[in-house]
Coordinates of all heavy atoms in Angstrom, one line a residue:
M108 N 0.8 -1.2 0.0 CA 0.0 0.0 0.0 C 0.9 1.3 0.0 O 0.5 2.3 -0.5 CB -0.9 0.0 1.2 CG -2.0 1.0 1.2 SD -3.0 0.8 -0.2 CE -4.1 2.2 0.0
H109 N 2.0 1.2 0.6 CA 2.9 2.3 0.6 C 3.5 2.7 -0.7 O 3.7 3.8 -1.0 CB 4.1 2.1 1.6 CG 3.6 2.0 3.0 ND1 3.2 3.1 3.7 CD2 3.6 1.0 3.9 CE1 2.9 2.8 4.9 NE2 3.1 1.5 5.1
N110 N 3.6 1.6 -1.6 CA 4.1 1.9 -2.9 C 3.2 2.7 -3.7 O 3.6 3.6 -4.5 CB 4.4 0.5 -3.7 CG 5.6 -0.2 -3.1 OD1 6.4 0.4 -2.5 ND2 5.6 -1.5 -3.3
L111 N 1.9 2.5 -3.6 CA 0.9 3.3 -4.3 C 1.0 4.8 -3.8 O 0.9 5.7 -4.7 CB -0.5 2.8 -4.0 CG -1.7 3.6 -4.7 CD1 -1.5 3.5 -6.2 CD2 -3.0 3.0 -4.3
G112 N 1.2 5.0 -2.5 CA 1.4 6.4 -2.0 C 2.6 7.0 -2.6 O 2.6 8.2 -3.0
F113 N 3.7 6.3 -2.7 CA 4.9 6.8 -3.3 C 4.7 7.1 -4.8 O 5.2 8.2 -5.3 CB 6.1 5.8 -3.1 CG 6.6 5.7 -1.7 CD1 6.9 4.5 -1.2 CD2 6.7 6.8 -0.9 CE1 7.3 4.3 0.1 CE2 7.1 6.7 0.4 CZ 7.4 5.4 0.9
A114 N 4.0 6.3 -5.5 CA 3.8 6.5 -6.9 C 2.9 7.7 -7.1 O 3.2 8.6 -8.0 CB 3.1 5.3 -7.5
L115 N 1.9 7.9 -6.3 CA 1.0 9.1 -6.5 C 1.8 10.4 -6.1 O 1.5 11.4 -6.7 CB -0.2 8.9 -5.6 CG -1.2 7.9 -6.1 CD1 -2.4 7.7 -5.1 CD2 -1.7 8.2 -7.5
E116 N 2.6 10.3 -5.1 CA 3.4 11.4 -4.7 C 4.4 11.9 -5.8 O 4.5 13.0 -6.2 CB 4.2 11.1 -3.5 CG 5.1 12.3 -3.0 CD 5.9 12.0 -1.7 OE1 5.6 10.9 -1.1 OE2 6.8 12.8 -1.4
G117 N 5.0 10.9 -6.5 CA 5.9 11.2 -7.6 C 5.1 11.7 -8.8 O 5.5 12.7 -9.5
A118 N 3.9 11.2 -9.1 CA 3.1 11.6 -10.2 C 2.6 13.1 -9.9 O 2.6 13.8 -10.9 CB 1.9 10.7 -10.3
W119 N 2.3 13.4 -8.7 CA 1.9 14.8 -8.4 C 3.0 15.8 -8.7 O 2.8 16.8 -9.2 CB 1.5 14.9 -7.0 CG 1.3 16.3 -6.5 CD1 2.0 17.0 -5.6 CD2 0.2 17.2 -7.0 NE1 1.5 18.2 -5.5 CE2 0.4 18.4 -6.3 CE3 -0.8 17.0 -7.9 CZ2 -0.4 19.5 -6.5 CZ3 -1.6 18.1 -8.0 CH2 -1.4 19.3 -7.4
K120 N 4.3 15.4 -8.4 CA 5.4 16.3 -8.6 C 5.7 16.5 -10.1 O 5.9 17.6 -10.6 CB 6.7 15.7 -7.9 CG 6.6 15.8 -6.4 CD 7.9 15.2 -5.8 CE 7.8 15.3 -4.3 NZ 9.0 14.7 -3.7
V121 N 5.5 15.4 -10.9 CA 5.7 15.5 -12.3 C 4.6 16.3 -12.9 O 4.8 17.2 -13.8 CB 5.7 14.1 -12.9 CG1 5.7 14.1 -14.5 CG2 7.0 13.3 -12.5
L122 N 3.4 16.2 -12.5 CA 2.3 17.0 -13.0 C 2.4 18.5 -12.7 O 2.2 19.3 -13.6 CB 0.9 16.5 -12.4 CG -0.3 17.3 -12.8 CD1 -0.6 17.1 -14.3 CD2 -1.5 16.8 -12.0
A123 N 2.9 18.8 -11.5 CA 3.1 20.2 -11.1 C 4.2 20.8 -11.9 O 4.1 21.9 -12.4 CB 3.4 20.3 -9.6
A124 N 5.3 20.1 -12.1 CA 6.4 20.6 -12.9 C 6.0 20.8 -14.4 O 6.4 21.8 -15.0 CB 7.6 19.7 -12.8
S125 N 5.2 19.9 -14.9 CA 4.8 20.0 -16.3 C 3.8 21.1 -16.5 O 3.9 21.8 -17.5 CB 4.2 18.7 -16.8 OG 3.0 18.4 -16.1
L126 N 3.0 21.4 -15.5 CA 2.1 22.5 -15.6 C 2.8 23.9 -15.5 O 2.5 24.8 -16.3 CB 1.0 22.5 -14.6 CG -0.1 21.4 -14.8 CD1 -1.0 21.4 -13.6 CD2 -0.9 21.7 -16.0
I127 N 3.8 23.9 -14.6 CA 4.5 25.2 -14.5 C 5.4 25.4 -15.7 O 5.4 26.5 -16.3 CB 5.4 25.1 -13.2 CG1 4.4 25.1 -12.0 CG2 6.3 26.3 -13.1 CD1 5.1 24.9 -10.7
L128 N 6.2 24.4 -16.1 CA 7.1 24.6 -17.2 C 6.5 24.5 -18.5 O 6.9 25.1 -19.5 CB 8.3 23.7 -17.0 CG 9.1 23.9 -15.7 CD1 10.2 22.8 -15.6 CD2 9.7 25.3 -15.6
G129 N 5.6 23.5 -18.6 CA 5.0 23.3 -19.9 C 3.9 24.3 -20.4 O 3.8 24.7 -21.5
A130 N 3.1 24.8 -19.4 CA 2.1 25.7 -19.8 C 2.3 27.1 -19.2 O 1.9 28.1 -19.7 CB 0.7 25.2 -19.3
G131 N 3.0 27.1 -18.0 CA 3.2 28.4 -17.3 C 4.1 29.4 -18.0 O 3.8 30.5 -18.2
L132 N 5.3 28.9 -18.5 CA 6.2 29.8 -19.2 C 5.6 30.4 -20.5 O 5.8 31.6 -20.7 CB 7.6 29.2 -19.4 CG 8.4 29.0 -18.1 CD1 9.7 28.3 -18.4 CD2 8.7 30.3 -17.4
P133 N 5.0 29.6 -21.3 CA 4.4 30.1 -22.5 C 3.3 31.1 -22.2 O 3.1 32.1 -22.9 CB 3.9 28.9 -23.3 CG 4.7 27.8 -22.9 CD 5.0 28.1 -21.4
A134 N 2.5 30.9 -21.1 CA 1.5 31.8 -20.7 C 2.1 33.1 -20.3 O 1.5 34.2 -20.6 CB 0.6 31.2 -19.7
I135 N 3.1 33.1 -19.5 CA 3.8 34.3 -19.1 C 4.4 35.1 -20.2 O 4.3 36.3 -20.3 CB 4.9 34.0 -18.0 CG1 4.2 33.5 -16.7 CG2 5.7 35.2 -17.7 CD1 5.2 32.9 -15.7
F136 N 4.9 34.3 -21.2 CA 5.4 35.0 -22.4 C 4.3 35.7 -23.2 O 4.5 36.8 -23.7 CB 6.1 33.9 -23.3 CG 6.7 34.5 -24.6 CD1 8.0 35.1 -24.5 CD2 6.1 34.4 -25.8 CE1 8.5 35.7 -25.7 CE2 6.6 35.0 -26.9 CZ 7.8 35.6 -26.9
A137 N 3.2 35.0 -23.3 CA 2.0 35.6 -24.0 C 1.5 36.9 -23.3 O 1.2 37.9 -23.9 CB 0.9 34.6 -24.1
L138 N 1.5 36.8 -21.9 CA 1.2 38.0 -21.2 C 2.2 39.1 -21.4 O 1.8 40.3 -21.4 CB 1.0 37.7 -19.7 CG -0.2 36.9 -19.3 CD1 -0.1 36.5 -17.8 CD2 -1.5 37.6 -19.6
G139 N 3.5 38.8 -21.6 CA 4.5 39.8 -21.9 C 4.2 40.5 -23.2 O 4.4 41.7 -23.3
I140 N 3.9 39.7 -24.2 CA 3.6 40.2 -25.5 C 2.4 41.1 -25.4 O 2.3 42.2 -26.0 CB 3.3 39.1 -26.5 CG1 4.5 38.3 -26.8 CG2 2.7 39.6 -27.9 CD1 5.6 39.0 -27.6
R141 N 1.3 40.7 -24.7 CA 0.1 41.5 -24.5 C 0.5 42.8 -23.8 O -0.1 43.9 -24.1 CB -0.9 40.7 -23.8 CG -2.2 41.4 -23.6 CD -3.0 41.6 -24.9 NE -4.2 42.2 -24.7 CZ -4.5 43.4 -25.1 NH1 -3.6 44.1 -25.7 NH2 -5.7 43.9 -24.9
S142 N 1.3 42.7 -22.8 CA 1.7 43.9 -22.1 C 2.5 44.9 -22.9 O 2.3 46.1 -22.8 CB 2.6 43.6 -20.8 OG 1.8 42.8 -20.0
L143 N 3.3 44.4 -23.8 CA 4.0 45.3 -24.7 C 3.1 46.0 -25.7 O 3.3 47.2 -26.0 CB 5.1 44.6 -25.5 CG 6.4 44.2 -24.7 CD1 7.4 43.5 -25.6 CD2 7.0 45.5 -24.1
A144 N 2.1 45.3 -26.1 CA 1.0 45.9 -27.0 C 0.3 47.0 -26.2 O 0.0 48.1 -26.8 CB 0.1 44.9 -27.5
W145 N 0.0 46.7 -25.0 CA -0.7 47.7 -24.1 C 0.2 48.9 -23.9 O -0.2 50.1 -23.9 CB -1.1 47.1 -22.8 CG -1.7 48.0 -21.8 CD1 -2.7 48.9 -22.1 CD2 -1.4 48.1 -20.4 NE1 -3.1 49.5 -20.9 CE2 -2.3 49.1 -19.9 CE3 -0.5 47.5 -19.6 CZ2 -2.2 49.5 -18.6 CZ3 -0.4 47.9 -18.3 CH2 -1.3 48.8 -17.8
G146 N 1.5 48.7 -23.8 CA 2.5 49.8 -23.6 C 2.7 50.6 -24.9 O 2.9 51.8 -24.8
A147 N 2.6 50.0 -26.0 CA 2.8 50.7 -27.3 C 1.5 51.5 -27.6 O 1.6 52.6 -28.2 CB 3.1 49.7 -28.4
G148 N 0.3 51.0 -27.3 CA -0.9 51.7 -27.7 C -1.1 51.8 -29.2 O -0.5 51.1 -30.0
G149 N -2.0 52.6 -29.6 CA -2.3 52.9 -31.0 C -2.7 51.7 -31.8 O -3.6 51.0 -31.4
D150 N -2.0 51.4 -32.9 CA -2.4 50.3 -33.7 C -2.1 48.9 -33.1 O -2.6 47.9 -33.6 CB -1.7 50.4 -35.1 CG -2.2 51.5 -35.9 OD1 -3.4 51.9 -35.7 OD2 -1.5 52.0 -36.8
A151 N -1.3 48.8 -32.1 CA -1.0 47.6 -31.5 C -2.1 47.1 -30.6 O -2.3 45.9 -30.3 CB 0.3 47.7 -30.6
E152 N -3.0 48.0 -30.2 CA -4.1 47.7 -29.4 C -5.4 47.6 -30.2 O -5.5 48.3 -31.2 CB -4.4 48.8 -28.3 CG -3.5 48.7 -27.1 CD -3.9 47.6 -26.2 OE1 -5.1 47.5 -25.9 OE2 -3.0 46.8 -25.8
V153 N -6.3 46.8 -29.8 CA -7.6 46.6 -30.6 C -8.4 47.9 -30.5 O -9.0 48.3 -31.5 CB -8.4 45.4 -30.0 CG1 -9.7 45.3 -30.7 CG2 -7.6 44.2 -30.1
D154 N -8.4 48.5 -29.3 CA -9.3 49.8 -29.2 C -8.5 51.0 -29.4 O -9.0 52.1 -29.2 CB -9.9 49.8 -27.8 CG -8.9 49.7 -26.7 OD1 -7.7 49.7 -27.0 OD2 -9.3 49.8 -25.5
H155 N -7.3 50.9 -30.0 CA -6.4 52.1 -30.3 C -6.2 53.0 -29.1 O -6.4 54.2 -29.3 CB -7.0 52.8 -31.5 CG -7.1 52.0 -32.8 ND1 -6.0 51.6 -33.5 CD2 -8.1 51.4 -33.4 CE1 -6.3 50.8 -34.5 NE2 -7.7 50.7 -34.4
A156 N -6.0 52.5 -28.0 CA -5.8 53.2 -26.8 C -4.4 54.0 -26.8 O -3.6 53.7 -27.6 CB -5.8 52.3 -25.5
A157 N -4.3 54.9 -25.9 CA -3.1 55.7 -25.8 C -2.0 54.8 -25.2 O -2.2 53.8 -24.5 CB -3.3 56.9 -24.9
P158 N -0.7 55.1 -25.5 CA 0.4 54.3 -25.0 C 0.5 54.4 -23.5 O 0.1 55.4 -22.9 CB 1.7 55.0 -25.6 CG 1.2 55.7 -26.8 CD -0.2 56.1 -26.5
N159 N 0.9 53.3 -22.9 CA 1.0 53.3 -21.4 C 2.4 52.7 -21.0 O 2.7 51.6 -21.3 CB -0.1 52.4 -20.8 CG -0.2 52.5 -19.3 OD1 0.7 52.9 -18.7 ND2 -1.4 52.1 -18.8
P160 N 3.2 53.5 -20.4 CA 4.6 53.1 -20.0 C 4.6 51.9 -19.1 O 5.5 51.1 -19.1 CB 5.2 54.3 -19.4 CG 4.3 55.5 -19.7 CD 3.0 54.9 -20.0
A161 N 3.6 51.8 -18.3 CA 3.5 50.6 -17.3 C 3.5 49.3 -18.1 O 4.0 48.3 -17.6 CB 2.4 50.8 -16.4
G162 N 2.9 49.3 -19.2 CA 2.8 48.1 -20.1 C 4.1 47.6 -20.5 O 4.4 46.4 -20.5
K163 N 5.0 48.6 -20.9 CA 6.3 48.2 -21.3 C 7.1 47.6 -20.2 O 7.8 46.6 -20.3 CB 7.1 49.4 -21.9 CG 6.6 49.8 -23.3 CD 7.4 50.9 -23.8 CE 6.9 51.4 -25.2 NZ 7.6 52.4 -25.8
V164 N 7.0 48.3 -19.0 CA 7.8 47.8 -17.9 C 7.3 46.4 -17.5 O 8.1 45.5 -17.2 CB 7.6 48.8 -16.7 CG1 8.2 48.2 -15.4 CG2 8.3 50.1 -17.0
L165 N 6.0 46.2 -17.4 CA 5.4 44.9 -17.1 C 5.8 43.8 -18.1 O 6.2 42.7 -17.7 CB 3.9 45.0 -17.0 CG 3.1 43.7 -16.6 CD1 3.6 43.2 -15.3 CD2 1.7 43.9 -16.7
G166 N 5.8 44.2 -19.4 CA 6.2 43.2 -20.4 C 7.7 42.8 -20.3 O 8.0 41.6 -20.3
Y167 N 8.5 43.7 -20.0 CA 10.0 43.4 -19.8 C 10.2 42.6 -18.5 O 11.0 41.7 -18.5 CB 10.8 44.6 -19.8 CG 10.9 45.3 -21.1 CD1 10.8 46.7 -21.3 CD2 11.1 44.6 -22.3 CE1 10.8 47.3 -22.5 CE2 11.2 45.2 -23.5 CZ 11.0 46.5 -23.6 OH 11.1 47.1 -24.9
V168 N 9.4 42.8 -17.5 CA 9.5 42.0 -16.3 C 9.1 40.6 -16.5 O 9.7 39.6 -16.1 CB 8.7 42.7 -15.1 CG1 8.5 41.7 -13.9 CG2 9.4 44.0 -14.7
L169 N 8.0 40.4 -17.3 CA 7.5 39.1 -17.6 C 8.5 38.4 -18.5 O 8.7 37.1 -18.3 CB 6.1 39.2 -18.3 CG 5.0 39.6 -17.3 CD1 3.7 39.9 -18.1 CD2 4.8 38.7 -16.2
F170 N 9.1 39.0 -19.4 CA 10.1 38.4 -20.3 C 11.3 38.0 -19.4 O 11.9 36.9 -19.7 CB 10.6 39.3 -21.4 CG 9.5 39.5 -22.5 CD1 9.4 40.7 -23.1 CD2 8.7 38.5 -22.8 CE1 8.5 40.9 -24.1 CE2 7.7 38.7 -23.8 CZ 7.6 39.9 -24.5
A171 N 11.7 38.8 -18.4 CA 12.8 38.4 -17.6 C 12.5 37.2 -16.8 O 13.4 36.3 -16.6 CB 13.1 39.6 -16.6
V172 N 11.2 37.0 -16.3 CA 10.8 35.8 -15.6 C 11.0 34.6 -16.5 O 11.5 33.5 -16.1 CB 9.4 35.9 -15.1 CG1 8.9 34.6 -14.6 CG2 9.4 37.0 -14.0
V173 N 10.6 34.7 -17.8 CA 10.7 33.6 -18.7 C 12.1 33.2 -19.0 O 12.5 32.1 -19.0 CB 9.9 33.9 -20.0 CG1 10.2 32.9 -21.1 CG2 8.4 34.0 -19.8
I174 N 13.0 34.2 -19.2 CA 14.4 34.0 -19.4 C 15.0 33.3 -18.2 O 15.8 32.4 -18.4 CB 15.1 35.3 -19.8 CG1 14.7 35.7 -21.2 CG2 16.6 35.1 -19.7 CD1 15.1 37.1 -21.6
L175 N 14.7 33.7 -17.0 CA 15.2 33.1 -15.8 C 14.8 31.6 -15.7 O 15.5 30.8 -15.3 CB 14.8 33.9 -14.6 CG 15.5 35.2 -14.4 CD1 14.9 35.9 -13.1 CD2 17.0 35.0 -14.1
G176 N 13.5 31.4 -16.1 CA 13.1 30.0 -16.1 C 13.8 29.1 -17.0 O 14.2 28.0 -16.7
V177 N 14.0 29.6 -18.2 CA 14.8 28.9 -19.2 C 16.2 28.7 -18.8 O 16.8 27.5 -18.9 CB 14.7 29.6 -20.6 CG1 15.7 29.0 -21.6 CG2 13.3 29.6 -21.2
L178 N 16.9 29.7 -18.3 CA 18.2 29.5 -17.8 C 18.3 28.6 -16.6 O 19.3 27.8 -16.5 CB 18.8 30.9 -17.4 CG 19.1 31.9 -18.5 CD1 19.6 33.2 -18.0 CD2 20.1 31.3 -19.5
L179 N 17.4 28.6 -15.8 CA 17.3 27.6 -14.7 C 17.2 26.2 -15.2 O 17.9 25.3 -14.7 CB 16.2 28.0 -13.7 CG 16.2 27.2 -12.4 CD1 17.4 27.5 -11.6 CD2 14.9 27.6 -11.6
G180 N 16.4 26.0 -16.2 CA 16.2 24.7 -16.8 C 17.5 24.2 -17.4 O 17.9 23.0 -17.3
I181 N 18.2 25.1 -18.2 CA 19.4 24.7 -18.8 C 20.5 24.4 -17.7 O 21.3 23.4 -17.9 CB 19.9 25.8 -19.7 CG1 19.0 25.9 -21.0 CG2 21.3 25.6 -20.2 CD1 19.2 27.1 -21.8
T182 N 20.5 25.2 -16.7 CA 21.5 24.9 -15.6 C 21.2 23.6 -14.9 O 22.2 22.8 -14.6 CB 21.4 26.0 -14.5 OG1 21.6 27.3 -15.1 CG2 22.4 25.8 -13.4
F183 N 20.0 23.2 -14.7 CA 19.6 21.9 -14.2 C 20.1 20.8 -15.1 O 20.7 19.8 -14.6 CB 18.1 21.8 -14.0 CG 17.6 20.5 -13.4 CD1 17.8 20.2 -12.1 CD2 17.1 19.5 -14.3 CE1 17.4 19.0 -11.6 CE2 16.7 18.3 -13.8 CZ 16.8 18.1 -12.4
I184 N 19.9 20.9 -16.4 CA 20.3 19.9 -17.3 C 21.8 19.7 -17.4 O 22.4 18.6 -17.3 CB 19.8 20.2 -18.7 CG1 18.2 20.0 -18.7 CG2 20.4 19.2 -19.8 CD1 17.6 20.5 -20.0
V185 N 22.6 20.9 -17.4 CA 24.0 20.8 -17.5 C 24.6 20.3 -16.2 O 25.5 19.5 -16.2 CB 24.6 22.2 -17.8 CG1 26.1 22.3 -17.6 CG2 24.2 22.6 -19.2
A186 N 24.0 20.7 -15.0 CA 24.5 20.2 -13.7 C 24.3 18.7 -13.6 O 25.2 18.0 -13.1 CB 23.8 20.9 -12.6
S187 N 23.2 18.2 -14.1 CA 23.0 16.8 -14.1 C 24.0 16.0 -15.0 O 24.4 14.9 -14.6 CB 21.5 16.4 -14.5 OG 20.6 17.0 -13.7
G188 N 24.3 16.6 -16.1 CA 25.3 16.0 -17.0 C 26.7 15.9 -16.4 O 27.4 15.0 -16.7
F189 N 27.0 16.8 -15.5 CA 28.3 16.8 -14.8 C 28.3 16.0 -13.5 O 29.2 16.1 -12.7 CB 28.8 18.2 -14.6 CG 29.3 18.9 -15.8 CD1 28.8 20.1 -16.3 CD2 30.4 18.3 -16.6 CE1 29.3 20.7 -17.4 CE2 30.9 18.9 -17.7 CZ 30.3 20.1 -18.1
G190 N 27.2 15.4 -13.2 CA 27.1 14.6 -12.0 C 26.8 15.5 -10.7 O 27.1 15.1 -9.6
K191 N 26.3 16.7 -11.0 CA 26.0 17.6 -9.9 C 24.5 17.7 -9.7 O 23.7 17.1 -10.4 CB 26.6 19.0 -10.2 CG 28.1 19.0 -10.5 CD 28.9 19.0 -9.3 CE 30.3 19.2 -9.7 NZ 31.2 19.2 -8.6
A192 N 24.1 18.5 -8.7 CA 22.7 18.7 -8.5 C 22.4 20.2 -8.3 O 23.4 20.9 -7.9 CB 22.2 17.9 -7.2
L193 N 21.2 20.6 -8.5 CA 20.9 22.0 -8.3 C 20.2 22.1 -6.9 O 19.2 21.4 -6.7 CB 19.9 22.5 -9.4 CG 19.8 23.9 -9.7 CD1 21.1 24.6 -10.0 CD2 18.8 24.2 -10.8
S194 N 20.7 22.9 -6.1 CA 20.2 23.1 -4.7 C 19.4 24.4 -4.5 O 19.9 25.4 -5.0 CB 21.3 23.0 -3.7 OG 20.8 23.3 -2.4
F195 N 18.3 24.4 -3.9 CA 17.5 25.6 -3.6 C 17.5 25.9 -2.1 O 16.5 26.4 -1.6 CB 16.1 25.4 -4.1 CG 16.0 25.3 -5.6 CD1 16.0 24.1 -6.3 CD2 16.0 26.4 -6.4 CE1 15.9 24.0 -7.6 CE2 15.9 26.4 -7.8 CZ 15.9 25.1 -8.4
E196 N 18.6 25.6 -1.4 CA 18.6 25.8 0.0 C 18.7 27.3 0.4 O 18.3 27.7 1.5 CB 19.8 25.0 0.6 CG 19.6 23.5 0.6 CD 20.8 22.8 1.1 OE1 21.8 23.5 1.6 OE2 20.8 21.6 1.1
H197 N 19.2 28.1 -0.5 CA 19.4 29.5 -0.2 C 18.4 30.3 -1.1 O 17.6 29.7 -1.8 CB 20.8 29.9 -0.6 CG 21.9 29.1 0.2 ND1 22.1 29.2 1.5 CD2 22.7 28.1 -0.3 CE1 23.0 28.3 1.9 NE2 23.4 27.7 0.8
I198 N 18.5 31.5 -1.1 CA 17.6 32.4 -1.9 C 17.8 32.1 -3.4 O 16.9 32.1 -4.2 CB 17.8 33.8 -1.6 CG1 17.3 34.1 -0.1 CG2 17.0 34.7 -2.5 CD1 17.5 35.5 0.4
Y199 N 19.0 31.9 -3.8 CA 19.4 31.7 -5.2 C 19.8 30.2 -5.4 O 20.4 29.6 -4.5 CB 20.5 32.6 -5.7 CG 21.7 32.6 -4.8 CD1 22.7 31.8 -5.2 CD2 21.8 33.4 -3.7 CE1 23.9 31.7 -4.4 CE2 23.0 33.4 -3.0 CZ 24.0 32.5 -3.3 OH 25.1 32.5 -2.5
P200 N 19.6 29.6 -6.5 CA 20.0 28.2 -6.7 C 21.5 28.1 -6.8 O 22.2 29.0 -7.4 CB 19.3 27.8 -8.0 CG 19.0 29.1 -8.7 CD 18.9 30.1 -7.7
T201 N 22.0 27.0 -6.3 CA 23.5 26.7 -6.4 C 23.7 25.3 -6.9 O 22.8 24.4 -6.7 CB 24.1 26.9 -5.0 OG1 23.5 26.0 -4.1 CG2 24.1 28.3 -4.5
I202 N 24.8 25.1 -7.5 CA 25.2 23.7 -8.0 C 26.0 23.1 -6.9 O 27.1 23.6 -6.5 CB 25.9 23.8 -9.3 CG1 25.0 24.5 -10.4 CG2 26.4 22.5 -9.8 CD1 25.7 24.8 -11.7
V203 N 25.6 21.9 -6.5 CA 26.3 21.2 -5.4 C 26.6 19.7 -5.9 O 26.0 19.3 -6.9 CB 25.5 21.2 -4.1 CG1 25.3 22.5 -3.6 CG2 24.1 20.5 -4.3
D204 N 27.5 19.1 -5.2 CA 27.7 17.7 -5.4 C 26.5 16.8 -5.0 O 25.9 17.1 -4.1 CB 29.0 17.2 -4.7 CG 30.2 17.8 -5.3 OD1 30.3 18.1 -6.5 OD2 31.2 18.1 -4.5
K205 N 26.3 15.7 -5.8 CA 25.2 14.8 -5.4 C 25.5 14.0 -4.2 O 26.6 13.8 -3.8 CB 24.9 13.9 -6.6 CG 24.2 14.5 -7.7 CD 23.8 13.5 -8.7 CE 23.0 14.1 -9.8 NZ 22.5 13.2 -10.8

C-alpha cells in the first residue's frame, strides 16, 4: 500500500512541474507580448488606446521571468550531466555535489 502512495506522490510532482514549465512559461510569455502591446498603444491595441509606459515595464519584467526559467532549466540539465545537483537551500539556486 505504501508503494501506491509513493507513486502518487511522484506523479503529483511530475504533474506540477509539467504545468509550471509546460504551460506556465508560454502563458507568461504571452502576457508579456500583450503587455508590450498595451504599452505601445495605438495600432498595437484593438481599441487604439493611448500608450502606457507601465505596459512596457510589465512586459519586460514578464520576459525576464521567462528567461530566468529557461536559464534555470538549462542549468539543471548541465549540472545533471556533470554529476552535480541544483540546490535551492538558499535564496538563489546553487550547483552542489550529489
Side-chain angles (χ1 to χ4, degrees):
M108 189 64 183
H109 293 290
N110 289 339
L111 180 62
F113 291 139
L115 291 176
E116 181 181 345
W119 171 249
K120 290 179 181 179
V121 170
L122 177 65
S125 66
L126 286 176
I127 291 169
L128 299 175
L132 287 179
I135 293 172
F136 182 80
L138 288 174
I140 295 290
R141 182 69 177 110
S142 296
L143 284 180
W145 178 47
D150 290 333
E152 280 286 313
V153 175
D154 58 358
H155 300 286
N159 191 341
K163 287 184 181 181
V164 171
L165 180 62
Y167 291 133
V168 167
L169 291 173
F170 289 147
V172 169
V173 171
I174 289 171
L175 286 175
V177 169
L178 289 176
L179 188 61
I181 291 171
T182 303
F183 178 79
I184 292 170
V185 170
S187 297
F189 285 121
K191 306 277 185 179
L193 200 57
S194 172
F195 293 96
E196 292 177 4
H197 307 289
I198 292 176
Y199 55 91
T201 56
I202 298 174
V203 296
D204 292 328
K205 284 188 178 180

